[in-house]
Amino acid sequence: MAVTTQVRTYTVKEGLLDEWVRRWREEIVPLRLEFGFSLGGAWIERERHHFLWEISYAGPETFAERNRQYWDSPKREAMALDPDDYLVSTEVREVTRVY
């Protein structure tokens, strides 16, 4: 199975970075893991209000298919967490590990 890895950079609305990180850790991480994703880490760049994280998936579906299942799941809907309430912009890069 091929591993797909994304590095995601989010610009978080001013004043909401700590709340975003808390909700990401407490709500998003457990559900992502439940759906078979692995997380390589997360970082903040406080001066620019950036939140960066690495997410990978190696399974029978493609990353996009599994990601769609995550977003369509009743548990994700019940989370009542709309990224638009926190994020100004998102940048997603699909990367290949070389080391």
Side-chain angles (χ1 to χ4, degrees):
M1 281 182 268
V3 176
T4 300
T5 300
Q6 294 180 349
V7 175
R8 298 178 174 195
T9 302
Y10 299 163
T11 302
V12 181
K13 293 178 182 177
E14 193 165 344
L16 295 179
L17 186 58
D18 292 329
E19 182 180 340
W20 170 259
V21 169
R22 179 188 59 76
R23 292 198 69 187
W24 179 85
R25 269 193 244 162
E26 293 175 3
E27 300 175 54
I28 294 171
V29 168
L31 189 57
R32 283 288 185 179
L33 295 175
E34 186 177 318
F35 271 80
F37 292 93
S38 60
L39 306 177
W43 305 264
I44 59 171
E45 183 184 3
R46 198 168 289 281
E47 298 77 27
R48 295 176 67 190
H49 313 287
H50 282 175
F51 175 81
L52 302 92
W53 61 303
E54 178 188 321
I55 181 172
S56 298
Y57 179 71
E61 302 97 348
T62 66
F63 188 102
E65 290 168 335
R66 195 60 171 168
N67 196 52
R68 189 171 30 260
Q69 291 170 11
Y70 162 83
W71 278 101
D72 292 344
S73 73
K75 287 184 178 181
R76 180 61 183 90
E77 289 180 27
M79 202 180 286
L81 191 159
D82 183 349
D84 290 339
D85 292 341
Y86 291 89
L87 307 181
V88 175
S89 66
T90 63
E91 179 183 338
V92 177
R93 294 181 182 180
E94 197 163 295
V95 297
T96 303
R97 184 178 301 274
V98 294
Y99 177 76

